[in-house]
Amino acid sequence: MTSKTMWLLGRLMHRHRGGLKLSSFVRSASCTAEGAVAPPVDSSVTAEQAVRLWAQHFTLHGISEPLLSSQYIIAHVLGRKTLDGVDRRRLKDPLTDTERVSVWKLCTKRLTSMPVQYVIQEWDFRDLTLKMKPPVFIPRPETEELVGLVLEDLRLIRGESYGTDLRCLEVGCGSGAISLSLLHSIPQLRVLALDQSQAAVCLTRENANRLGLQDKLEVQHLDVMGDTDALLSKCGPVHFLVSNPPYLLTQEMQSLQTEILRFEDHAALDGGLDGLSVIRSILVLASKLLKERGRVYLEVAPCHPPVIRQMIEETMPGLLYLETRCDLTNRRKKVKQV
């Protein structure tokens, strides 16, 4: 039997249900123009009052998660991740002129349905704070689980030290969340990260520089579906390949929330008619690049595991389908396939 194996992580919720658990909504036609709110002249408005005011305004205009949106934005202006990190007395103090203008500017952006991550231009992923810019895909909590499972599996294979040489290829790096989180956890790791979006490549590099991880990460503007030869010339054998690829079926795209359709990169979501367009290319690439006993870790749609398993068994003898794990949204189903 082949010594190359593959781990497949099957999600039970589409990626657009992650993050702030943003729900569907109907936007008010007036929220981008008539809905804009000028900062109050009265300088006595406190942070608590601003939170309540903007939560009410977001609710009025159909913005999803109105209270959380207001809290995240105002906490950000006050220099904290959440309001829990702000001194209680500070919440009752009047906002400064600068703070008040910033709150109103950022909250007005949220009125356009811009995701909070883009509004405040940062978001936490595991133990890292990453810069966020539209239209680069916003990482969701399910992908944090993927990173955790990669680390868990690598420890089982290689021991706590991971060995002295460990190389990884990430396809579709987006903001760099997966690669940078792995590099932060494994000092001896080296990663080549790819993305078809130049904006994503630039943002990954910016995040790597901000975190001091740029020396261990190479980022390339390449499309795994069209630049295979160029990729093979740049990338040597790797110990594992990881990806959160576009896997939504094209017919599902129109059912996404307005804020996702309007602001996030569709190419990071649309996986073609069956959701497998990019995944097929990744598996072909893995069969050529994986070292012996290498691994592939993928985040996929709920309908994909049996289809991918059949594809591998029938057309890719160099790979062995090993396991499917479900995310924490459905803990009771955990299937191992060997």
Side-chain angles (χ1 to χ4, degrees):
M1 180 176 292
T2 177
S3 58
K4 294 182 181 179
T5 55
M6 169 184 154
W7 280 53
L8 180 70
L9 289 113
R11 288 187 43 200
L12 293 185
M13 293 181 69
H14 294 316
R15 68 180 74 199
H16 60 280
R17 295 183 184 172
L20 291 174
K21 303 295 183 186
L22 302 174
S23 57
S24 298
F25 62 88
V26 178
R27 286 183 66 246
S28 166
S30 66
C31 75
T32 58
E34 296 89 341
V37 179
V41 176
D42 181 3
S43 62
S44 65
V45 62
T46 67
E48 284 185 339
Q49 291 169 336
V51 167
R52 290 196 297 270
L53 186 154
W54 277 104
Q56 292 167 2
H57 204 64
F58 290 152
T59 299
L60 177 65
H61 292 289
I63 300 301
S64 60
E65 298 293 350
L67 180 58
L68 273 177
S69 296
S70 180
Q71 290 174 337
Y72 274 124
I73 291 170
I74 292 168
H76 173 75
V77 171
L78 296 178
R80 296 291 185 267
K81 302 291 186 184
T82 68
L83 289 182
D84 289 338
V86 180
D87 186 276
R88 294 293 97 187
R89 292 171 297 180
R90 179 68 181 87
L91 295 176
K92 298 182 183 298
D93 291 338
L95 295 171
T96 67
D97 291 344
T98 300
E99 290 168 346
R100 192 169 64 257
V101 170
S102 294
V103 167
W104 260 251
K105 178 181 178 181
L106 297 180
C107 286
T108 299
K109 286 185 177 181
R110 182 70 180 120
L111 278 180
T112 69
S113 296
M114 178 180 282
V116 169
Q117 293 91 334
Y118 292 153
V119 171
I120 65 175
Q121 297 186 17
E122 66 177 32
W123 204 243
D124 286 352
F125 184 87
R126 289 175 60 88
D127 49 359
L128 302 178
T129 298
L130 301 173
K131 188 80 171 178
M132 293 288 138
K133 294 180 181 178
V136 180
F137 183 72
I138 299 166
R140 269 59 171 185
E142 290 85 357
T143 305
E144 296 187 33
E145 295 179 43
L146 171 62
V147 172
L149 288 168
V150 172
L151 293 172
E152 173 191 329
D153 188 48
L154 290 176
R155 289 190 189 100
L156 291 174
I157 298 170
R158 304 177 69 88
E160 289 294 334
S161 66
Y162 296 105
T164 57
D165 175 51
L166 195 59
R167 298 189 178 275
C168 164
L169 171 66
E170 182 188 3
V171 176
C173 56
S175 63
I178 293 176
S179 287
L180 295 172
S181 186
L182 290 171
L183 287 169
H184 182 72
S185 299
I186 309 175
Q188 58 270 51
L189 179 65
R190 296 294 182 272
V191 176
L192 171 61
L194 319 173
D195 206 289
Q196 52 80 34
S197 163
Q198 183 62 58
V201 168
C202 291
L203 184 56
T204 292
R205 287 174 178 159
E206 180 178 349
N207 278 322
N209 288 331
R210 290 173 70 243
L211 295 167
L213 296 170
Q214 68 276 7
D215 292 340
K216 299 193 291 182
L217 175 67
E218 179 183 356
V219 190
Q220 293 286 338
H221 181 209
L222 290 171
D223 184 351
V224 70
M225 295 181 64
D227 299 327
T228 304
D229 291 340
L231 174 56
L232 290 173
S233 69
K234 294 176 181 293
C235 184
V238 297
H239 296 91
F240 66 98
L241 187 157
V242 62
S243 181
N244 176 18
Y247 57 71
L248 292 183
L249 280 61
T250 298
Q251 66 185 22
E252 298 176 317
M253 290 294 294
Q254 292 307 310
S255 67
L256 294 175
Q257 297 158 304
T258 301
E259 53 195 75
I260 296 174
L261 284 172
R262 180 176 297 170
F263 290 97
E264 295 194 68
D265 184 3
H266 291 193
L269 295 161
D270 189 346
L273 293 178
D274 59 1
L276 292 169
S277 297
V278 177
I279 292 172
R280 286 191 184 89
S281 296
I282 290 174
L283 294 177
V284 170
L285 188 64
S287 67
K288 298 177 180 180
L289 288 178
L290 281 183
K291 290 177 174 285
E292 294 300 309
R293 300 179 61 80
R295 294 284 205 260
V296 177
Y297 305 90
L298 297 174
E299 187 174 330
V300 301
C303 61
H304 285 153
V307 179
I308 294 175
R309 180 175 187 175
Q310 181 178 4
M311 182 195 316
I312 289 171
E313 291 176 348
E314 293 180 355
T315 65
M316 299 179 183
L319 295 176
L320 174 67
Y321 189 104
L322 184 61
E323 186 175 6
T324 297
R325 292 197 191 182
C326 300
D327 64 33
L328 294 180
T329 60
N330 192 323
R331 300 175 185 227
R332 60 186 177 82
K333 184 177 180 183
K334 184 175 179 182
V335 181
K336 183 173 182 180
Q337 304 177 39
V338 182

